[in-house]
Amino acid sequence: MADFWQYEVCVGRHAWQFHDHTPAFTTDHHLGAYQAPPQHTALGTVLNFVGGSDGRTAEVSVVCSEATALLHVAEPRPLHYRLLIGAPSACSGITPGASGAHAIGTQADPA
């Protein structure tokens, strides 16, 4: 099923995973609250989100891209997520989300 899960990452605040079943019913999971400081690597910036529902955590890597987009999502262990987001701000050396921007994207159901 295409676009099964959607993700919201708000730098400096939180990360969420959600799925809209119907207009009246949504499944959502808090992936965690932002844990500063970001880690800067040669490939981009890594942001950590901890304390999500049922112990969920997320590691979000932000890399240079012409447009803001969710590029990849993985769950290497149950309840631990890795998201790869492309953003123009990562191309210029500006800390992604410094102004509180956030990205929303979708990921197909892995099954």
Side-chain angles (χ1 to χ4, degrees), residues 9 60-65 67-72 83-87 90 103:
V9 176
V60 178
S61 297
V62 184
V63 297
C64 177
S65 177
T68 301
L70 178 64
L71 304 174
H72 183 73
L83 288 77
L84 179 63
I85 295 176

Side-chain angles (χ1 to χ4, degrees), residues 13 27 38 63 66 71 91 95 107-109:
R13 295 193 181 142
T27 299
V63 297
E66 290 185 14
L71 304 174
C91 301
T95 300
Q107 177 74 22
D109 184 2

Side-chain angles (χ1 to χ4, degrees), residues 31-45:
L31 299 183
Y34 177 68
Q35 181 181 31
Q39 301 167 340
H40 301 284
T41 70
L43 299 176
T45 302

Side-chain angles (χ1 to χ4, degrees), residues 18-50:
F18 59 97
H19 172 66
D20 293 325
H21 297 282
T22 68
F25 182 73
T26 300
T27 299
D28 61 6
H29 302 289
H30 183 230
L31 299 183
Y34 177 68
Q35 181 181 31
Q39 301 167 340
H40 301 284
T41 70
L43 299 176
T45 302
V46 178
L47 310 169
N48 290 299
F49 296 83
V50 298

